[in-house]
Amino acid sequence: MLEKEEIVSPNLEELKSHYHSIITLLGEDAEREGLLKTPERVAKAMLSLTKGYHMDPHEVLRSAKFQEEYSQMVIVKDIDFFSLCEHHMLPFYGKAHVAYIPNGYITGLSKIARVVDIFSHRLQVQERMTLQIKECIQETLNPLGVMVVVEAKHMCMQMRGVEKQNSITTTSDFTGAFNQAKTREESSQNNPVTQSFCHDALYGLQLIKAFHKRVTFFIIMGKSRILQGIKHVLQFLRYDCIFEVNH
């Protein structure tokens, strides 16, 4: 049985008072039975949904930082998250996908998910959250590269405004080997496996894609030695791929 989360804050009573006033201003009777405890419930909910302000994501990564000579991609995908849009304070929710290429150090896999949780438990915009996750991992672990992709649905677009229930917003950000604009030959000088794979994968992502029935397909043409790395990146982003090998 899950334990009930204990919410303790010096601001709890003041928040309760404000929510009591908001309910009254909306035209409701804040003293009727069904609403008597609502100000407290909402205050505690908001404190829980914004607890990321009081947590240090860098320290979370450092708490499980290990020296390891592994230099291939580490991918943690389909990380569920819920956040609050700072414009309307309505939820947006979805999945975050994170990849990094270690440069002598790795971190516990669960710590990547915790970093996503910390930044999502704040008033946010999806674009900034994507950037913050990337920068936190890059600054703390100093990997060869970081890739973050976030897919989300926004209640501020679904239940108000344009009311588009099926729209999905995708944001992405990259560093290092994932974001290099060099040719494959230049990239491969330092790391002939990971860097050339990442460069070619991003080249394919940007230039060779087709849409069919809302599914994105990529047709990748290249030498067999680089295709496996491209396939890993595209599968990480959950795209269907057709590979054609040029020997």
Side-chain angles (χ1 to χ4, degrees), residues 4-21:
K4 185 176 180 180
E5 182 180 12
E6 183 178 1
I7 305 297
V8 179
S9 170
N11 300 321
L12 180 59
E13 291 302 318
E14 188 174 357
L15 282 170
K16 284 168 56 178
S17 176
H18 286 305
Y19 280 118
H20 185 282
S21 298

Side-chain angles (χ1 to χ4, degrees), residues 57-68 74 76 100 102 105-113 115 137 140-141:
H58 296 84
E59 183 57 36
V60 167
L61 291 178
R62 285 193 291 266
S63 70
K65 184 177 178 181
F66 309 108
Q67 190 168 3
E68 193 67 47
V74 177
V76 184
Y100 74 98
Y105 290 92
I106 62 171
T107 189
L109 297 177
S110 67
K111 305 308 179 186
I112 300 293
V115 167
I137 297 171
T140 308
L141 299 181

Side-chain angles (χ1 to χ4, degrees), residues 95-161:
K95 295 182 183 295
H97 317 288
V98 180
Y100 74 98
I101 303 173
N103 184 22
Y105 290 92
I106 62 171
T107 189
L109 297 177
S110 67
K111 305 308 179 186
I112 300 293
R114 290 189 183 278
V115 167
V116 173
D117 281 344
I118 290 172
F119 284 118
S120 65
H121 279 74
R122 301 177 180 185
L123 299 183
Q124 278 288 12
V125 294
Q126 183 176 334
E127 296 88 341
R128 184 174 65 239
M129 188 179 83
T130 305
L131 175 67
Q132 289 175 332
I133 295 168
K134 178 209 71 174
E135 288 182 340
C136 177
I137 297 171
Q138 183 64 51
E139 292 169 2
T140 308
L141 299 181
N142 191 32
L144 297 176
V146 180
M147 174 165 61
V148 179
V149 179
V150 177
E151 304 168 294
K153 290 188 174 184
H154 292 249
M155 296 297 288
C156 59
M157 288 183 63
Q158 293 180 309
M159 63 185 297
R160 59 159 300 282

Side-chain angles (χ1 to χ4, degrees), residues 180-199:
Q180 291 182 5
K182 300 179 181 180
T183 65
R184 181 192 317 152
E185 289 74 22
E186 290 173 331
S187 297
S188 65
Q189 290 178 2
N190 295 326
N191 192 324
V193 180
T194 56
Q195 293 189 12
S196 65
F197 281 1
C198 297
H199 175 76

